[in-house]
Amino acid sequence: PPLPEHATVAMGHLHQTVLELPSSVATPGAADPDAFADSERAALARHLNWALASDEHASASLPIDPSCSAFFGAVANGIVLSKYALRVDSTALDERALNLPGERGQLLGREDMLQNQSLCLNAATAIGCGVPGLTPQQMVDAPPSGQQRALQLVWNMVRSALLNPIQASKNPEIHGMLLAGEDPASLARYRPEKVLQRWVNHHIRGYLEASPEQASVPRTFRVTNLHADLADGLALSIVLHQVAPRRSAAVGVSEAALASSSADERVRLAIEAAELCGVEMFEVDAADVLEARPRMLLAFVAAIFRTCPGLDAQAEPEAPASKRGRRGNRSQEREEAALRMWMASLGLGLESLSSLYEDCRTGVVFLRLLDFLRPGAVDWSRVLLEPR
């Protein structure tokens, strides 16, 4: 179908200019239970400080103070988040188009900042991280009504940066989690969140098999999500015990965490063990874990995986002959990625698409797109939303 008027896509270059996102999609607000807590804003600030510490242009705004006014003031000029967008996708924008402070440190004027923010927001939308209703003016002025949207933008990009590399095609060692007789292609279809959940349970299984004498963890213990099931720190302590370098201080700390009967102490020790393992990519507070904040726990688990996966190196299984051409055609891969990014930019909840081929097999995604392009075209009473 033709693209809607508010979006144009240059298919071969993963470049997209989005003039307007649908504003009817709800975003977090002051009364929204999904609104960002102060500790989440602080965690995002720490991550940006870590990610852009060596960037010569962003460093003038770093380190970002996580307090409210300082955080939004640091990202107001559009440089920090534009530079971060390039970490998510190096083709997201043309860095030469950014307005930068003069050699003598002159501050940018308002028009320069608005231009940077327009560039940043278009880039974010192009890589599937856009936020409906967020404007350059809101990013520059940071009114209370726009602060949650701005934080959502930062989180969308941080989430993509942390999770995009967590795929079997980019991390062959993920195939080390295959069970006996399991089809290697099944892991290739996993979204990053599911890979991480599988990874946590892989290490839990390994711990239980290696420690038959222990009685504190049930033999059937597994996690079914990456938020509530991690809140008591037990699963995190097991994972860190398994991935920590042998004979390192982290091993002793994780063992102390496993021996503790207090969730508060266990979580505190698990975070300490992560620090000793060198997990600097994303840091959380104990309250983020104990209160089971999904965004923070997802990012924290992803950071542990990216730092010390604790998996043996594996060769990627050879693809079936029917799929070799698909995998080897780089032009086709880029077009597929551009389509996924366009779909994610529409505000339809399609941000987690990881494979156009696998995630659209049921047809439901195409029906949602059709209904977006031509409202009312789909009779949803006749649609099987979860077909077998």
Side-chain angles (χ1 to χ4, degrees), residues 204-212 214 217-222:
I204 291 174
R205 187 182 302 109
Y207 171 77
L208 292 173
E209 290 175 354
S211 309
Q214 70 81 36
V217 182
R219 307 300 299 178
T220 58
F221 177 63
R222 300 290 187 275

Side-chain angles (χ1 to χ4, degrees), residues 158-361:
V158 170
R159 179 186 180 280
S160 291
L162 291 174
L163 267 61
N164 283 350
I166 304 177
Q167 302 175 36
S169 59
K170 298 179 180 179
N171 288 277
E173 64 268 23
I174 288 175
H175 291 98
M177 298 190 294
L178 284 168
L179 301 175
E182 187 176 9
D183 180 7
S186 64
L187 281 179
R189 294 192 290 268
Y190 279 16
R191 293 192 177 100
E193 297 92 333
K194 192 172 181 181
V195 171
L196 290 173
Q197 183 180 319
R198 175 75 174 263
W199 173 71
V200 171
N201 284 328
H202 171 81
H203 283 305
I204 291 174
R205 187 182 302 109
Y207 171 77
L208 292 173
E209 290 175 354
S211 309
E213 73 288 348
Q214 70 81 36
S216 58
V217 182
R219 307 300 299 178
T220 58
F221 177 63
R222 300 290 187 275
V223 301
T224 59
N225 58 67
L226 294 177
H227 39 91
D229 286 358
L230 305 183
D232 64 357
L234 179 58
L236 288 173
S237 299
I238 292 174
V239 169
L240 288 160
H241 179 271
Q242 294 298 99
V243 304
R246 297 302 94 183
R247 295 185 296 278
S248 70
V251 174
V253 173
S254 62
E255 289 176 346
L258 288 169
S260 175
S261 59
S262 164
D264 287 17
E265 183 181 17
R266 196 184 303 122
V267 167
R268 180 184 63 78
L269 291 170
I271 292 174
E272 182 181 343
E275 293 174 355
L276 292 171
C277 286
V279 179
E280 300 176 345
M281 194 177 297
F282 198 92
E283 300 173 347
V284 296
D285 293 335
D288 295 324
V289 179
L290 292 166
E291 296 179 23
R293 292 179 177 139
R295 289 180 290 247
M296 298 295 96
L297 280 164
L298 175 62
F300 187 48
V301 173
I304 298 172
F305 177 91
R306 296 274 305 275
T307 304
C308 42
L311 298 172
D312 295 331
Q314 300 281 328
E316 184 177 2
E318 185 176 359
S322 61
K323 295 185 178 180
R324 286 175 198 159
R326 176 191 299 172
R327 181 177 296 179
N329 188 333
R330 294 188 60 83
S331 175
Q332 187 173 349
E333 288 178 357
R334 296 177 69 179
E335 291 181 359
E336 187 239 0
L339 279 170
R340 282 191 287 107
M341 291 174 182
W342 169 67
M343 292 159 72
S345 76
L346 300 179
L348 300 178
L350 302 177
E351 295 83 357
S352 62
L353 290 178
S354 58
S355 169
L356 193 65
Y357 307 108
E358 298 296 339
D359 293 340
C360 299
R361 290 174 64 191

Side-chain angles (χ1 to χ4, degrees), residues 118-185:
S118 295
L119 186 67
C120 176
L121 293 179
N122 285 337
T125 301
I127 58 179
C129 299
V131 175
L134 183 60
T135 66
Q137 290 78 9
Q138 289 176 328
M139 292 299 297
V140 171
D141 299 332
S145 60
Q147 290 177 0
Q148 287 293 319
R149 287 192 179 99
L151 288 170
Q152 185 68 50
L153 173 71
V154 179
W155 164 246
N156 288 352
M157 289 198 288
V158 170
R159 179 186 180 280
S160 291
L162 291 174
L163 267 61
N164 283 350
I166 304 177
Q167 302 175 36
S169 59
K170 298 179 180 179
N171 288 277
E173 64 268 23
I174 288 175
H175 291 98
M177 298 190 294
L178 284 168
L179 301 175
E182 187 176 9
D183 180 7

